[in-house]
Amino acid sequence: IAMIPLGLVSVIALQVLMGMLSESWDAILPIACLMVATLAVLMGASLAARPQGSTKLCMALAYAHLFAGLVSVVIASLQFVGAETPFAPYMLPMRHEHGVVIRPYANLAQPNQLALLFCLAIAAVWWLYQIGRLRGSIVVGIVLSLLWGLVLTQSRIGWIIIPVFALAT
């Protein structure tokens, strides 16, 4: 799997060498992202090869997404009511103007990305519930708060992913 991003890096490098890009420095960001993706795949594979490695890796990713989702719900709620300004260096400020629709984005600066984070956090909650790490009453409260944040984003991603989750379970 790690060969896929490396192959794409070679394609982009070939485009740079053949002068197919208007500016050769345009290739820096995609190459850097693909190299990081390669490292992530290799690191994940080496962690998964250890005893209980995949379980520990999944657990760490699930708790990370859950934590990020819950913190983002708080930030998005504060942005929605216009109370994020006192926390300025730690929360991105929003423009609150009359007649302008407020679509909170927490610290991701993009409502659609925030909605995707909420969906990943909901998937993490479901997995943690399935393996017995979270109780039902806690799960309901967490999922309702994540759905609240998802609704605040007004993103269509929720209309696509949440029904797929429901069908997949």
Side-chain angles (χ1 to χ4, degrees):
I1 293 176
M3 295 305 291
I4 294 171
L6 284 179
L8 292 172
V9 165
S10 63
V11 169
I12 294 170
L14 186 61
Q15 288 176 339
V16 169
L17 292 174
M18 296 178 69
M20 296 175 75
L21 298 177
S22 59
E23 299 291 334
S24 59
W25 56 266
D26 281 342
I28 292 173
L29 185 61
I31 288 176
C33 288
L34 289 167
M35 294 302 289
V36 168
T38 302
L39 290 173
V41 167
L42 292 174
M43 188 163 71
S46 66
L47 287 173
R50 296 181 181 180
Q52 295 293 314
S54 0
T55 303
K56 291 177 183 175
L57 181 60
C58 287
M59 205 70 113
L61 290 173
Y63 279 120
H65 281 101
L66 177 57
F67 178 75
L70 290 175
V71 168
S72 295
V73 165
V74 171
I75 295 171
S77 297
L78 288 172
Q79 287 175 333
F80 183 70
V81 298
E84 79 279 5
T85 309
F87 308 101
Y90 305 108
M91 293 183 192
L92 291 176
M94 290 188 68
R95 288 183 20 198
H96 296 277
E97 297 176 9
H98 181 68
V100 176
V101 176
I102 296 174
R103 290 185 66 198
Y105 44 72
N107 280 351
L108 299 180
Q110 190 11 283
N112 294 331
Q113 290 176 358
L114 179 61
L116 186 58
L117 172 65
F118 289 144
C119 290
L120 290 171
I122 291 169
V125 169
W126 178 249
W127 186 76
L128 290 168
Y129 173 73
Q130 289 294 314
I131 64 168
R133 294 293 175 127
L134 293 176
R135 291 192 322 254
S137 57
I138 294 172
V139 167
V140 170
I142 292 172
V143 169
L144 286 176
S145 68
L146 292 169
L147 287 174
W148 161 254
L150 185 61
V151 168
L152 286 180
T153 66
Q154 302 172 36
S155 177
R156 290 181 296 250
I157 287 176
W159 288 101
I160 297 168
I161 295 177
I162 297 300
V164 170
F165 283 171
L167 291 174
T169 58

